[in-house]
């Protein structure tokens, strides 16, 4: 058995399919977000990041950094064990209380990542519910799909945001069978939003539990940053709300919130929680500081929505193929994996702009794209520079722009001012 050959061939296949992933070596600069230092082939260069999930730049907020450094100086760098074995540090207890309050739930549970929170929670709930049927949106994240798989429960996949299809599956299962509907609020590759109220209505009609992934919405939407469920006044109608601390809150970790009995059951039965070292106190303290700030401050959300909309307008007016998006996600269609990688490389090497290519299996073949995530710190000047760089890249590589003609912009006056709701939702 030639073990090395097996792994070499697996990597060769990725290269042949033009979906081998290359990681950019980046060093973020505190106080200068979204600027970063890019290291490549022994050289250093300052570039602008346009694809960060630190959506609001909270990873550099003084209160967040201050909370982290203070906790480290007082309690050290690590948690010291699993939650059961000395790892339940006080900042982590406070963080879970803060998260439960954020979503108006009885309890919350923190995991080491958003992937683990979905995988562990969905699989555990699915196992505990007798003869459970899990109904999963076809565009759910890989972590949710893995949770469904590991649950061992029967599953049905409903067409994306298709409520007629979901209802047909629920009706076929009957009211008496245990059912769990798992879906996302914001789908991060397309930027669309689930019909949460209609899903909650169907869950009530057919006696099903609901589990929503709000990782791309917490901190971003709602008066206190509770996500789309808060913005639409629906948090109390969802059984389990899952979120992340690693995107809008600028730190690390994932969590679930819900009724005390559900959260306690996951805490007590999920191997992904039980056998993992707890989140360090410094990270827990930083996350709590970020959540508390965003519960009261509208400035970040208001500015963020404005700059995201400005970016969409500028790119669309320049003739670039901006895909429809209801949220802060700005996907620009390329439609070919090799061209997508070439566009990303060209933007970085020629223009000092970093946007990671999004290829299969993250998105379906033929829908390869550049996924742009503006922040409150991407100024009008940076938006204008991005637009010019994308236009030049499209022309240089001969990428199709659809029905539009790639022209570019010359003046910031073309980026029209916007009126943004005070709630930032």
């Amino acid at each position: 058995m030639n073990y090395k050959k097996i792994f070499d061939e697996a990597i060769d296949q990725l290269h042949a399919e033009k979906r081998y992933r290359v990681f950019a070596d980046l060093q973020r600069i505190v106080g200068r977000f979204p600027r970063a230092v890019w290291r490549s082939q022994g050289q250093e260069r300052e570039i602008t990041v346009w694809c960060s999930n630190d959506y609001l730049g909270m990873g550099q907020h003084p209160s967040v950094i201050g909370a982290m450094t203070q906790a480290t100086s007082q309690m050290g760098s690590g948690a010291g064990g699993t939650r059961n074995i000395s790892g339940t540090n006080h900042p982590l207890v406070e963080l879970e209380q803060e998260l439960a309050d954020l979503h108006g739930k009885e309890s919350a549970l923190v995991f080491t990542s958003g992937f683990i929170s979905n995988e562990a929670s969905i699989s555990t709930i699915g196992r505990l519910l007798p003869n459970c049927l899990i109904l999963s949106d076809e565009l759910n994240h890989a972590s949710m799909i893995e949770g469904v798989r590991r649950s061992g429960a029967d599953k049905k996949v409903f067409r994306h945001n298709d409520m007629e299809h979901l209802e047909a599956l629920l009706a076929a299962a009957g009211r008496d069978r245990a059912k769990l509907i798992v879906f996302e609020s914001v789908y991060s590759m397309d930027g669309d939003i689930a019909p949460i109220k209609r899903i909650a209505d169907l869950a009530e009609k057919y006696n099903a539990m609901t589990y929503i992934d709000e990782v791309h919405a917490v901190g971003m939407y709602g008066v206190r940053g509770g996500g789309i469920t808060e913005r639409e006044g629906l948090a109390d109608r969802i059984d389990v709300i899952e979120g992340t601390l690693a995107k809008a809150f600028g730190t690390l970790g994932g969590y679930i919130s819900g009724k005390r009995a559900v959260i306690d059951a996951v805490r007590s039965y999920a191997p992904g929680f039980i056998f993992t070292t707890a989140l360090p106190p410094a990270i827990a303290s930083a996350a709590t500081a970020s959540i508390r700030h965003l519960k009261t401050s509208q400035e970040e959300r208001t500015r963020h929505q404005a700059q995201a909309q400005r970016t969409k307008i500028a790119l669309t007016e320049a003739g670039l193929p901006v895909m429809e998006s209801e949220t802060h996600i700005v996907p620009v269609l390329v439609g070919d994996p090799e061209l997508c990688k070439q566009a990303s490389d060209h933007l970085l090497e020629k223009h000092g702009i970093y946007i990671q290519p999004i290829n299969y299996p993250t998105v379906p073949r033929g829908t390869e794209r550049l996924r742009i995530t503006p922040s409150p710190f991407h100024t009008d000047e940076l938006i204008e520079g991005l637009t010019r760089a994308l236009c030049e890249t499209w022309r240089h590589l001969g990428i199709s722009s659809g029905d539009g003609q790639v022209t570019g912009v010359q003046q910031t006056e073309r980026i029209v001012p916007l009126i943004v709701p005070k709630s930032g939702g």
Side-chain angles (χ1 to χ4, degrees):
M1 176 68 69
N2 187 337
Y3 294 106
K4 181 178 181 299
K5 182 181 179 182
I6 293 172
F7 295 108
D8 285 340
E9 288 176 348
I11 296 300
D12 289 343
Q13 182 177 345
L14 293 178
H15 282 291
E17 295 176 359
K18 309 300 181 184
R19 59 189 185 95
Y20 179 78
R21 301 185 183 198
V22 178
F23 299 155
D25 181 352
L26 302 176
Q27 179 178 321
R28 305 209 299 170
I29 307 170
V30 172
R32 298 189 59 201
F33 184 83
R35 302 292 286 173
V37 174
W38 171 48
R39 290 183 172 85
S40 177
Q41 299 179 341
Q43 301 294 315
E44 294 184 3
R45 181 182 176 188
E46 192 171 302
I47 55 96
T48 302
V49 178
W50 274 96
C51 58
S52 174
N53 283 341
D54 187 0
Y55 292 136
L56 301 179
M58 290 301 294
Q60 68 167 9
H61 195 280
S63 67
V64 176
I65 295 173
M68 177 174 278
T69 55
Q70 182 179 7
T72 301
S73 65
Q74 292 177 347
M75 288 171 269
S77 61
T82 64
R83 291 293 296 272
N84 186 52
I85 305 176
S86 81
T88 301
N89 55 80
H90 184 61
L92 188 45
V93 173
E94 289 186 313
L95 172 59
E96 289 176 337
Q97 294 170 347
E98 203 70 40
L99 288 165
D101 174 77
L102 176 66
H103 296 293
K105 299 297 185 183
E106 293 177 355
S107 186
L109 190 68
V110 169
F111 298 78
T112 51
S113 76
F115 189 102
I116 297 298
S117 61
N118 269 334
E119 184 275 324
S121 301
I122 294 171
S123 63
T124 300
I125 294 170
R127 284 198 310 272
L128 290 176
L129 292 174
N131 191 30
C132 179
L133 173 66
I134 299 180
L135 302 109
S136 176
D137 188 287
E138 67 176 338
L139 293 189
N140 277 342
H141 189 264
S143 59
M144 304 178 79
I145 295 170
E146 187 66 10
V148 173
R149 186 183 72 83
R150 287 183 176 273
S151 73
D154 291 344
K155 71 170 182 180
K156 295 289 184 181
V157 177
F158 60 92
R159 291 185 292 271
H160 179 54
N161 285 349
D162 187 331
M163 294 301 96
E164 291 184 2
H165 190 204
L166 175 59
E167 181 164 17
L169 295 174
L170 287 165
R175 279 187 55 84
D176 293 337
R177 185 177 185 182
K179 298 172 292 298
L180 177 68
I181 306 171
V182 295
F183 63 106
E184 302 181 37
S185 61
V186 173
Y187 289 85
S188 64
M189 290 302 123
D190 294 329
D192 58 335
I193 297 174
I196 302 173
K197 183 181 184 301
R198 294 178 65 191
I199 291 175
D201 289 343
L202 288 176
E204 183 177 325
K205 180 178 179 180
Y206 292 98
N207 191 29
M209 280 188 68
T210 48
Y211 180 108
I212 191 169
D213 174 315
E214 286 253 48
V215 298
H216 293 278
V218 290
M220 309 283 293
Y221 300 93
V223 175
R224 300 198 311 156
I228 301 295
T229 49
E230 184 198 16
R231 186 187 75 173
E232 298 183 2
L234 296 168
D236 62 326
R237 299 190 64 194
I238 302 298
D239 293 298
V240 179
I241 297 177
E242 186 266 351
T244 185
L245 306 170
K247 292 182 171 61
F249 294 128
T251 57
L252 179 71
Y255 66 89
I256 58 170
S257 62
K259 291 186 182 299
R260 186 168 288 103
V262 176
I263 304 305
D264 197 19
V266 174
R267 181 189 71 87
S268 302
Y269 282 92
F273 175 82
I274 296 169
F275 299 106
T276 299
T277 297
L279 211 63
I283 295 176
S285 294
T288 299
S290 183
I291 295 164
R292 287 174 177 168
H293 175 82
L294 290 174
K295 279 181 177 179
T296 58
S297 175
Q298 304 304 323
E299 179 181 352
E300 290 81 7
R301 284 188 284 274
T302 300
R303 177 69 176 167
H304 177 266
Q305 290 293 320
Q307 295 311 96
Q309 187 67 7
R310 289 176 194 273
T311 303
K312 291 178 186 179
I313 291 172
L315 301 188
T316 300
E317 287 188 350
L320 290 157
V322 178
M323 302 170 70
E324 185 176 351
S325 167
E326 302 174 68
T327 62
H328 57 281
I329 307 297
V330 186
V332 181
L333 181 66
V334 177
D336 178 271
E338 189 167 12
L339 282 175
C340 200
K341 178 64 166 62
Q342 289 176 4
S344 176
D345 291 344
H346 184 78
L347 284 165
L348 186 56
E349 293 163 6
K350 181 177 177 63
H351 299 284
I353 288 174
Y354 175 57
I355 309 172
Q356 181 69 14
I358 306 295
N359 293 335
Y360 177 85
T362 305
V363 295
R365 298 182 195 276
T367 68
E368 294 83 4
R369 68 200 65 178
L370 297 180
R371 175 182 174 272
I372 298 167
T373 55
S375 77
F377 299 94
H378 286 89
T379 63
D380 293 355
E381 182 180 7
L382 287 176
I383 293 171
E384 183 180 329
L386 170 70
T387 306
R388 285 197 300 265
L390 284 170
C391 289
E392 189 278 331
T393 299
W394 250 243
R395 290 191 294 266
H396 175 76
L397 296 175
I399 302 173
S400 172
S401 60
D403 295 332
Q405 180 180 357
V406 175
T407 58
V409 295
Q410 301 300 321
Q411 300 178 25
T412 56
E413 283 76 12
R414 292 196 63 192
I415 304 174
V416 298
L418 301 167
I419 299 175
V420 180
K422 291 184 178 179
S423 67

